[in-house]
Amino acid sequence: MGEESSLVVGQAVQGAPIISSYNDRIRPLLDTVDSLRHLMITREGIQLPTIVVVGDQSSGKSSVLESLAGINLPRGQGICTRVPLIMRLMHQPTPEPDLSLEFNGKVVRTDEKHVSEAINLATEEIAGFGKGISNSPLTLEVRKNGVPDLTMVDLPGITRVPVHGQPENIYDQIKDIIMEYITPEESIILNVLSATVDFTTCESIRMSQTVDKTGERTLAVVTKSDKSPEGLLEKVTADDVNIGLGYVCVRNRIGEESYEEARVEEARLFESHPLLSKIDKSIVGIPVLAHKLVQIQAASIARNLPAIVKSINDKLNLNVAEAKRMPQKMSSLTEAMTAFMQIIGLAKESLRKILVRGEFDEYPDEQNMHCTARLVEMFNQFSDELHKHAESDPAEKFLMEEIMVLEETKGIGLPNFLPRSAFLTILQKRVKGISSIPTIFAEKVWSYVEEIVISVMMHHSEHYYQLQLSFRRAGHNLIAKMKERSINWVMEIVEMEKQTDYTCNPEYLSDWNKLMVQQDAFMTYVLTNVDWPSMIKLEGFGEIEVSHLKKYSHVLQQAFDLKMRITAYWKIVLKRLVDCMALHLLLSIGNLVNKEFEAEIVNELMGPGGGIERMLEESPAVASKRQKINKSIQLLKKSKEVVAKIMDKIGTYND
């Protein structure tokens, strides 16, 4: 280690580069990533290998970057770095440095003497005057003899307490920017720590540990080693904060020292200081830091480049596929008509699948679009509502309604003849009581179908906003017609049930006979028992109250017969209403899809004011989407070309 240290000192004295052994091999890799970053490939969701420099305020972050770049960066109280500063360091053989800044789409040339001022001016243009920060990056390119080939992103120093001129949430703003840059797995975190503080209390350590718990992509550089040499060796060897890529201890440039002089003094410090000289020479000094960063950066780029290539290809293929799915621009009415009929055909087929055939592969995760299942649920609810209605409660005021009706329909004639008018009176009252339920149900079904039809039409015409108003209007008109027909039909069915009593269903006689079997026992129980309980159990009715019936003995037998007849027949009426409603609505929905839909839409769009010619106009949303997709495709193609040029060099580096 002593020979290596002496060599470093000698190089510094002679003004040699900080590091040069890897430059010829990693420069193409770094240029590739820089080119991709310049193309803003990250906007496509593709992450790039990046060295991200973080540190608490006054940790010496600027001094480290100055030593690596060999230039003066802005200094002062508070936050000096107010925007992400992308530093591109490039070794060049010519002695004259070449410095430039790029921001807000422009390039500004500068030099070593004025670079700090230029950075301040650019920062003010990006983040405004004062002490606020911005997430818009500023790129500083330094082409200079002797600098390592590195690209780093310097982020604002972490401060918890805002000073005068800073926003109250300055900490949260800085944290958000830092987390955005250090969270991606491709990021290498360069954590700058001051030797004068306890590492475990550093906010930058806390942040980096939230995204890199094991520290496998974190490298720590310890500044101000000369100001706090006591215990530094123990700090970096104990590694209480999990720095997986290791530590490098450095000495900051002091006063008016030149960078060459600072390197000499740094090497002498770690060679001769009683405490610092005990630290292994492989983890001390700016040259060692530069060497580590170059190695880590090169390895990260080479490791991630295949994944970047795959991501670029995948994104490109997705965008090309989406571009093909985009509607073609219409140049004639013929093209517009073709597209129009295609929309109708697609919408019609979708409706046939989801409303008639019960298929929902187009909407697997949208349960509301699984129409046949939802319609069955609605029919079941309709049936339950009919059967649970008060008119359908067979035990309610047992026999009293029948007795009252028989009393009012009696006439002069033979006894025990059941008047048909009594049966019809009760039947009509019951039908009237439930008459609103089928109408409300029909309206509910058509409201649901209308929602489905409009949704499908809007989906298939999403690229033709000019037509969507007409499509929506046509859908509303079509459903309104279908709903009106259904309601008229329902009202007719209800009136039919009021009109007369008839069924050929054998269940009526079967159920009536089963119920009438109980008549003799019922009559005996009610009329002959003296100390009998007031409740009796009848099949089909359950427990019923009968104490009030003894005084109606003269009509009780007729009332019982009438009750059993209406009970047996009412079951037929309710089943008939449900069955007829189901058959009618299914037929109507089938006619809607197969016959009515296309005719209504064509009449609406081709009629006066339909505006089929408006299809020749492209909506702003579609135009914007088309432009965005094409822009992404061009960006990804350029990125692919950039990467293709370097892929054959990766093997050379890995060798």
Side-chain angles (χ1 to χ4, degrees), residues 206 315 438 450 634:
R206 191 183 68 82
K315 290 279 185 179
E450 179 178 29
Q634 294 304 314

Side-chain angles (χ1 to χ4, degrees), residues 586-601:
L586 289 177
L587 176 64
S588 299
I589 290 171
N591 287 337
L592 162 73
V593 175
N594 295 315
K595 298 179 181 179
E596 309 278 353
F597 176 76
E598 186 171 342
E600 185 69 33
I601 302 298

Side-chain angles (χ1 to χ4, degrees), residues 51-64:
I51 296 175
V52 183
V53 186
V54 297
D56 292 9
Q57 192 172 316
S58 302
S59 62
K61 188 159 57 72
S62 295
S63 296
V64 172

Side-chain angles (χ1 to χ4, degrees), residues 114 129 474 519:
H114 301 96
F129 295 93
Q519 185 181 44

Side-chain angles (χ1 to χ4, degrees), residues 408-527:
E408 297 305 316
T409 57
K410 63 188 176 184
I412 298 174
L414 293 174
N416 291 331
F417 275 87
L418 189 63
R420 186 162 180 262
S421 58
F423 185 90
L424 289 176
T425 299
I426 295 175
L427 174 64
Q428 289 167 357
K429 177 178 177 296
R430 288 199 175 191
V431 172
K432 183 178 180 181
I434 56 95
S435 61
S436 63
I437 297 177
T439 303
I440 294 172
F441 173 66
E443 291 178 344
K444 180 181 178 182
V445 169
W446 283 115
S447 294
Y448 171 69
V449 173
E450 179 178 29
E451 179 186 340
I452 298 302
V453 169
I454 297 297
S455 176
V456 169
M457 287 197 299
M458 292 302 101
H459 170 69
H460 287 290
S461 63
E462 62 180 339
H463 298 307
Y464 302 96
Y465 83 107
Q466 313 93 323
L467 300 183
Q468 288 201 324
L469 180 60
S470 297
F471 274 129
R472 191 179 293 275
R473 185 167 57 243
H476 288 316
N477 292 340
L478 174 59
I479 298 301
K481 292 177 184 177
M482 303 300 294
K483 183 188 294 187
E484 184 179 6
R485 290 180 200 167
S486 282
I487 291 176
N488 289 337
W489 180 88
V490 167
M491 293 173 65
E492 191 171 295
I493 288 295
V494 171
E495 287 301 314
M496 286 165 52
E497 295 294 350
K498 287 183 186 178
Q499 187 68 28
T500 187
D501 51 331
Y502 173 77
T503 182
C504 63
N505 192 329
E507 287 185 13
Y508 165 67
L509 285 176
S510 173
D511 288 347
W512 175 68
N513 286 324
K514 288 178 182 177
L515 294 171
M516 288 298 292
V517 167
Q518 306 173 92
Q519 185 181 44
D520 290 344
F522 175 79
M523 295 294 296
T524 301
Y525 186 85
V526 172
L527 298 177

Side-chain angles (χ1 to χ4, degrees), residues 234-248:
E234 289 73 17
K235 277 186 177 182
V236 298
T237 52
D239 188 22
D240 294 329
V241 289
N242 291 334
I243 305 297
L245 295 177
Y247 294 81
V248 178

